[in-house]
């Protein structure tokens, strides 16, 4: 795909990005990504060198670094989800990988963690921080401990290695799904109930006399919601949930193993305990109790609703001449 130069439109004040992806080439994304990493590191390096610890020299620049990385990073990563050009999607995937690695490095900087802890313990009271900033400071320190920054160097290096590998696996998992391009061959009868405009937009296979229905969301959701053939809805759901099963199953198995290793290194029983630590429920036991109690309350009304749904299903079968 050629990247023709298009005159950039005038951006209103306060608009940070131009989302016309035709304006960007893979080189643009690469150089923007390098600059984001460089500028973020520059901000944090300045915090590390700070001699006088105040809100302006410690907390504010750390928050600025996070904001800058997120705000600027979205432009170079988002095209991997929406661009029509595979080369640009690949460049955005590479940019995502680079930024994820940078984020791991940024989150594992013990010098910044130590500065935040020292600022809170000895100097933050002088700045009379607003409640939201004080809460943010506590969160950054707590998150640092959740990254193992209070532990010895050997453990920290193991955690960093695990985080980098997890980032790679998660990106590959989502990329596999994004690049998946299989389809089902369905007859006109299989698509009973679908609008003519939908069927007209499908590729037609002259050999089988059937239509190509992909597992992308713009095909999956209309078919599973509007198609009158229950068997078509069933197989669409089955194959949609089975996308990339061979390769992503292996990835998922490794992710589960690495998450358990990380949790144990950080002193948690498992990954669920690690995640719930910063959520409202606080621990898996509270989640389990909530779900059990909720199930008991929902079971009686569900029995009534299930009966009503089965009656509707029988009526649908009669209407479309299908066997339930």
């Amino acid at each position: 795909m050629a990247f023709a130069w298009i005159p950039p439109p005038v951006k209103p004040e306060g608009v940070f990005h131009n989302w016309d992806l035709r304006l960007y080439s893979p080189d643009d994304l690469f150089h923007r990504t390098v600059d984001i990493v460089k500028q973020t590191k520059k901000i944090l390096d300045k915090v590390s060198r700070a001699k006088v610890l105040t809100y302006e020299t410690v907390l504010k620049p750390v928050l600025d670094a996070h904001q800058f990385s997120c705000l600027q990073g979205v432009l170079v990563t988002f095209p991997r989800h929406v661009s029509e050009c595979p080369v640009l999607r690949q460049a955005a995937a590479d940019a995502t990988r680079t930024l994820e690695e940078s984020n791991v490095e940024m989150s594992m900087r013990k010098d910044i963690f130590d500065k935040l802890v020292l600022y809170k313990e000895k100097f933050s009271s002088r700045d009379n921080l607003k409640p939201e900033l004080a809460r943010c400071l506590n969160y950054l320190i707590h998150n640092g401990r959740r990254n193992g920054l209070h532990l010895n160097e050997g453990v920290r290096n193991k955690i960093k290695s695990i985080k980098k590998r997890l980032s790679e696996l998660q990106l590959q998992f989502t990329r596999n799904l994004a690049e998946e391009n299989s389809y089902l061959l369905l007859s006109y009868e299989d698509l009973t109930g679908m609008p003519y405009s939908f069927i007209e937009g499908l590729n037609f296979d002259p050999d089988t006399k059937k239509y190509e229905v992909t597992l992308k969301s713009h095909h999956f959701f209309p078919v599973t919601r509007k198609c009158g053939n229950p068997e078509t809805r069933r197989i669409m759901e089955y194959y949609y949930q089975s996308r990339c099963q061979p390769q992503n199953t292996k990835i998922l198995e490794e992710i589960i193993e690495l998450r358990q290793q990380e949790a144990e290194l950080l002193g948690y029983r498992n990954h669920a305990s690690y995640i719930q630590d910063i959520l409202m429920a606080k621990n898996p036991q509270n989640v389990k109790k909530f779900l059990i109690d909720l199930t008991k309350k929902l079971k009686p009304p569900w029995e009534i609703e299930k009966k009503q749904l089965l009656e509707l299903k029988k009526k649908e079968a009669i209407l479309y001449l299908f066997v339930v």
Side-chain angles (χ1 to χ4, degrees), residues 173 176-180 239 242-249:
F173 189 98
N176 288 343
L177 291 175
E179 298 298 326
E180 192 274 340
Y239 284 105
S242 302
R243 292 171 300 157
C244 308
Q245 191 175 47
Q247 60 269 48
N248 276 1
T249 297

Side-chain angles (χ1 to χ4, degrees), residues 39 116-117 127 142 155 194 250 280:
Q39 294 301 323
L116 289 168
V117 172
D127 289 331
H142 183 61
V155 176
M194 295 304 297
K250 293 179 181 178
M280 184 172 66

Side-chain angles (χ1 to χ4, degrees), residues 289-301:
K289 181 180 182 301
F290 170 78
L291 292 176
I292 291 174
D293 292 344
L294 186 63
T295 300
K296 292 177 182 178
K297 295 176 183 177
L298 291 179
K299 193 170 182 180

Side-chain angles (χ1 to χ4, degrees), residues 116-133:
L116 289 168
V117 172
L118 184 60
Y119 169 66
K120 179 189 175 183
E121 292 178 349
K122 295 188 176 182
F123 303 104
S124 62
S125 58
R126 299 181 315 186
D127 289 331
N128 193 24
L129 295 175
K130 294 180 179 179
E132 57 268 27
L133 290 176

Side-chain angles (χ1 to χ4, degrees), residues 26-85:
D27 284 343
D28 292 330
L29 299 191
F30 172 78
H31 291 301
R32 282 173 178 263
T33 303
V34 170
D35 185 64
I36 292 170
V37 173
K38 181 180 178 181
Q39 294 301 323
T40 303
K41 184 177 183 302
K42 183 178 179 180
I43 295 172
L44 294 181
D45 286 345
K46 187 175 180 179
V47 174
S48 181
R49 295 191 302 267
K51 301 299 182 182
V52 179
L53 305 187
T54 66
Y55 165 73
E56 293 291 338
T57 62
V58 180
L59 182 56
K60 184 178 184 300
V62 170
L63 297 178
D64 287 344
H66 282 278
Q67 182 186 45
F68 176 80
S69 179
C70 292
L71 192 60
Q72 300 298 324
V74 68
L75 180 63
V76 298
T77 60
F78 188 65
R80 72 191 177 104
H81 300 294
V82 298
S83 176
E84 295 179 348
C85 174

Side-chain angles (χ1 to χ4, degrees), residues 306-317:
K306 181 170 66 173
K307 184 178 179 180
Q308 295 171 340
L309 290 172
L310 289 174
E311 288 298 323
L312 289 172
K313 183 70 175 177
K314 290 179 181 179
K315 292 179 181 179
E316 179 195 58

